[in-house]
Amino acid sequence: MFLTVTTTGTPGSPATDLGFLLHKHPDRSQAFSTSLGTAHVLYPEADVRRCTAALLLEVDAVALVRRGKGKGRGGAPDAALAQYVNDRPYAASSLLAVALSRVFSSAMRGTCHARPELPAQPRPLRIEIPALPARGGPGLVRRLFEPLGWTVTAEPVPLDAEFPAWGDSRYVRLALDAETLTLAQALRHLYVLLPVLDDAKHYWVAPDEVDKLLRAGAGWLPGHPEQQLITSRYLSRRWSLTRQARERLELLRLAETDDSEVEELDNAVAAETETEERPAPLAVQRRDALVAALEEAAAARVLDLGCGQGQLVRALLIDPRFTEIVGVDVSARALTIASRRLRLDRMGERQAARVRLLQGSLVYTDARLKGYDAAVLSEVIEHLDLPRLPALEYAVFGAARPRTVLVTTPNVEYNVRWESLPAGHVRHGDHRFEWTREEFRAWAAAVAERHGYTVEFRPVGPDDPEVGPPTQMAVFRLRKSEDETRTSDDETRTSDDEKEAEAA
Ligand code: SAH
């Protein structure tokens, strides 16, 4: 990753004053070790007429992953590999922005003890970044920098110079020129806009990012025509953070505008809020899809295997069609939370009779789980190490053998659509694998075949034409012929249950 800042001398200030502004001596090359890798600052040219400082960041992708900055332990083999082999060492990106703020923090703040008058003076500046990942292309680069007083030269970098037919990469070669800006302003523009163009922050967005954005955006972000895009991309489209930042920006702007503009702004904000109506979160869509599939299967006695904190159990309790709901989880802690959330201790007798929480591991057969209408495995299989999956398969499909089994799991192909998920990462630190649609289908078809079920697949969440839905669901149904043998096996138990139900 590479960025240069060049200035030329002015009557009052030789070009080498850049060394004072950056707090880095032009005669020396210096290295700084940061949590992202080593940052080098050197001056390829430095005389009174022209002075260029270069910031070179040697990203240590391996250390990034080890230190957990890359998140996502134990992903699929491909995901694991992508953490090590990626474009991070080469492209300027949000990491470069982070390095800028570490290495040039005083310059960004605009302080210089040796020459206090210097930071406030605009001077001729040229910034060059040979490979800038830019989602939105040269057009967006211009829309972001031009309103700030930069003359922008942005050329797309071809994928391969020898094969122009392959088209352009997502990188641009960027040069920015300005005469009217201070170095501190320039650095703050870069600090915010590099990650915006990269549009994939390589670390998780923390709540203090709003403060960082407002601090770096002071004086230019309120009133920027692309303020909305900048804010939401910078905060990786985290809704609550984005809204918070926007509200505070509006306040800053209102302080500087007159009343007629206030009304206009109010309308704009109202319109924005409307279009921002959030779709139901994926977890809710998943629960709705599961409940619908259970109703369709006319299931009354249901197992929620790997029930976690009991969200589905609660949803099922609301519907009287579900007469017996059993949540099973290996985690005692999850079950304690579930029990508290369901208010099991304060539940009326009738309700309490419908629900049970059991601790147990799904990789062992368990006589308590036999004879149910349906079992749900919602976002559970990916938490198991792949070699344990056959044991779960046998315990559920071979031994417990409910008439219907619903299995949901993430569709890894969709991960490219999550704005805040860096490439090649799994969605949750504890996921041992995430499957493509084809991998899931192959597994499910084989399971169905081995245990006498049919299987059908459904999308959950928006079904993207290219990469499919965020969640994939398999609906397994026990084949008729198998169902008869199952009923005779369980006859005693079933009639006992009926007696119990009658007695209640
Ligand atoms: N079904 C819930 C929770 C999914 S998280 C939902 O859809 O939101 C996965 C859950 O599976 C966790 O609660 C975890 O404790 C549980 N789990 C993982 N391995 C398990 C095992 N071998 N046996 C039982 N539960 C397991």
Side-chain angles (χ1 to χ4, degrees):
M1 291 189 189
F2 194 63
L3 170 150
T4 60
V5 183
T6 301
T7 187
T8 48
T10 61
S13 161
T16 41
D17 276 351
L18 186 61
F20 284 108
L21 284 166
L22 292 174
H23 295 241
K24 306 284 175 281
H25 200 285
D27 291 345
R28 267 185 289 153
S29 118
Q30 300 179 50
F32 304 83
S33 103
T34 75
S35 62
L36 314 168
T38 309
H40 301 271
V41 179
L42 49 136
Y43 289 79
E45 55 181 344
D47 59 39
V48 291
R49 277 163 299 132
R50 243 179 100 86
C51 183
T52 298
L55 172 69
L56 180 79
L57 180 62
E58 259 181 301
V59 174
D60 186 345
V62 175
L64 268 185
V65 174
R66 295 237 172 90
R67 236 176 267 130
K69 301 250 170 193
K71 191 97 176 161
R73 290 158 282 145
D78 281 356
L81 190 62
Q83 294 177 341
Y84 296 94
V85 184
N86 53 43
D87 67 2
R88 271 184 236 163
Y90 316 110
S93 74
S94 31
L95 294 184
L96 189 54
V98 175
L100 268 181
S101 75
R102 305 259 163 89
V103 175
F104 299 135
S105 57
S106 311
M108 231 172 103
R109 278 199 307 274
T111 55
C112 177
H113 296 305
R115 300 276 301 280
E117 80 294 351
L118 217 47
Q121 293 167 4
R123 60 182 312 127
L125 291 170
R126 182 177 175 83
I127 313 267
E128 285 175 273
I129 304 176
L132 173 72
R135 240 192 65 180
L140 181 60
V141 175
R142 264 179 234 112
R143 283 185 357 247
L144 293 179
F145 284 100
E146 278 173 356
L148 299 171
W150 293 101
T151 304
V152 177
T153 317
E155 293 159 10
V157 176
L159 265 180
D160 189 315
E162 290 190 30
F163 298 97
W166 288 8
D168 295 329
S169 67
R170 65 188 185 93
Y171 297 96
V172 300
R173 181 190 313 282
L174 176 68
L176 300 169
D177 289 281
E179 303 276 334
T180 56
L181 295 170
T182 67
L183 182 66
Q185 287 172 320
L187 293 176
R188 289 190 208 144
H189 296 166
L190 293 172
Y191 176 74
V192 172
L193 296 178
L194 294 185
V196 164
L197 283 163
D198 192 0
D199 201 17
K201 278 204 145 193
H202 297 298
Y203 51 92
W204 298 103
V205 177
D208 71 341
E209 291 290 309
V210 175
D211 295 316
K212 288 189 193 160
L213 174 64
L214 292 175
R215 231 177 292 136
W220 64 270
L221 186 52
H224 190 296
E226 296 292 347
Q227 180 197 306
Q228 189 181 330
L229 176 137
I230 294 169
T231 312
S232 78
R233 275 205 190 180
Y234 183 89
L235 297 172
S236 299
R237 309 207 175 160
R238 289 267 302 254
W239 292 92
S240 58
L241 293 182
T242 312
R243 194 166 309 129
Q244 196 187 328
R246 255 189 237 149
E247 278 164 11
R248 288 165 64 181
L249 281 165
E250 296 301 346
L251 288 176
L252 287 176
R253 250 202 79 164
L254 289 179
E256 296 163 3
T257 48
D258 66 35
D259 285 353
S260 61
E261 267 181 289
V262 172
E263 204 176 334
E264 220 171 279
L265 260 171
D266 277 349
N267 295 338
V269 171
E272 223 174 75
T273 330
E274 251 163 59
T275 53
E276 269 180 25
E277 230 7 91
R278 253 164 110 168
L282 188 56
V284 173
Q285 297 188 45
R286 193 158 47 224
R287 217 170 310 141
D288 291 348
L290 287 166
V291 173
L294 288 172
E295 284 174 354
E296 208 179 289
R301 304 176 58 238
V302 178
L303 297 168
D304 183 9
L305 305 176
C307 63
Q309 303 180 358
Q311 288 92 337
L312 179 66
V313 171
R314 186 160 56 182
L316 297 178
L317 264 174
I318 295 170
D319 190 331
R321 273 179 288 192
F322 302 108
T323 57
E324 187 181 340
I325 305 147
V326 179
V328 181
D329 207 286
V330 74
S331 157
R333 201 182 124 71
L335 292 176
T336 306
I337 298 173
S339 155
R340 210 177 303 144
R341 290 207 177 155
L342 292 165
R343 299 179 197 281
L344 279 190
D345 53 340
R346 272 173 276 169
M347 208 177 254
E349 229 169 279
R350 256 188 116 84
Q351 282 288 71
R354 288 172 63 209
V355 56
R356 259 184 307 152
L357 298 177
L358 304 177
Q359 190 179 9
S361 173
L362 300 169
V363 292
Y364 300 102
T365 57
D366 186 335
R368 297 175 297 177
L369 310 185
K370 275 197 178 177
Y372 281 81
D373 297 334
V376 174
L377 283 160
S378 164
E379 308 296 284
V380 172
I381 58 171
E382 65 275 9
H383 289 268
L384 266 70
D385 288 322
L386 269 175
R388 312 275 283 168
L389 206 51
L392 173 136
E393 174 191 331
Y394 179 72
V396 175
F397 293 88
R401 243 171 141 57
R403 240 174 236 123
T404 301
V405 183
L406 307 177
V407 180
T408 77
T409 194
N411 162 24
V412 70
E413 296 166 81
Y414 192 87
N415 287 3
V416 296
R417 295 283 187 269
W418 295 118
E419 296 291 347
S420 57
L421 195 69
H425 287 242
V426 295
R427 295 179 203 177
H428 187 284
D430 194 44
H431 287 182
R432 307 303 161 91
F433 61 86
E434 283 178 357
W435 274 336
T436 61
R437 284 167 290 175
E438 191 160 333
E439 285 167 326
F440 181 53
R441 278 165 197 224
W443 173 79
V447 169
E449 174 66 29
R450 279 193 286 268
H451 300 283
Y453 284 77
T454 60
V455 62
E456 174 206 318
F457 300 93
R458 293 184 191 173
V460 180
D463 195 358
D464 185 283
E466 255 177 77
V467 298
T471 298
Q472 36 188 350
M473 173 156 86
V475 179
F476 296 85
R477 293 189 192 87
L478 197 62
R479 288 182 189 281
K480 264 255 139 33
S481 51
E482 301 280 341
D483 202 5
E484 277 151 23
T485 56
R486 166 189 182 268
T487 320
S488 60
D489 282 352
D490 293 332
E491 212 134 55
T492 35
R493 188 193 155 86
T494 312
S495 53
D496 280 348
D497 284 348
E498 272 161 15
K499 272 182 221 140
E500 258 176 45
E502 266 168 31

